[in-house]
Amino acid sequence: MRHGRRGAGRGGAHGRGTGGVAGDVHRRSGKLAKGESPAVEATVVKDMGTSFEQSVPTLIADIVGNAPSLALDPVLYRTLQYVSQICPSFSLRGGTREILRGVIARGLGLR
């Protein structure tokens, strides 16, 4: 079995084509070089990252649950249980999602 990131080289974690997070970082750093603020773009990326990060335990549980013949390592099972319990707290790092979305709305002129 090959180890590594599934989908690497095919548009990133969500398959959005070339660029992905690396493209977002490049665009934001370009704004900084021009003296512009990349706050809205950075906030959107953080919100998207939080959504993805919170979905990972569910994705893994779905894969494991759909393959009952899969021999599950007890350490993986315990880790999955633990991460499933704490993943809601991931959104609390660096600001709640509501605050992030308020920054996005303000930056887009919706507030």
Side-chain angles (χ1 to χ4, degrees):
M1 179 162 96
R2 225 175 99 190
H3 295 283
R5 287 184 11 205
R6 208 196 276 177
R10 293 189 309 222
H14 292 286
R16 290 195 175 98
T18 59
V21 173
D24 291 335
V25 169
H26 178 72
R27 283 185 290 281
R28 285 194 311 276
S29 63
K31 277 193 153 192
L32 286 173
K34 294 178 197 173
E36 300 172 2
S37 173
V40 173
E41 293 86 349
T43 305
V44 169
V45 171
K46 178 164 176 38
D47 190 46
M48 290 171 54
T50 299
S51 294
F52 175 74
E53 186 178 41
Q54 287 181 328
S55 72
V56 170
T58 302
L59 294 171
I60 294 170
D62 288 347
I63 291 168
V64 169
N66 289 326
S69 63
L70 185 66
L72 187 60
D73 182 328
V75 174
L76 174 61
Y77 182 73
R78 285 192 307 273
T79 302
L80 181 58
Q81 285 182 316
Y82 174 72
V83 172
S84 294
Q85 291 174 358
I86 66 165
C87 73
S89 72
F90 295 167
S91 67
L92 300 177
R93 285 186 260 133
T96 65
R97 297 188 79 189
E98 292 78 17
I99 292 171
L100 292 175
R101 291 179 178 165
V103 169
I104 294 166
R106 238 178 288 116
L108 296 174
L110 301 174
R111 273 196 182 174

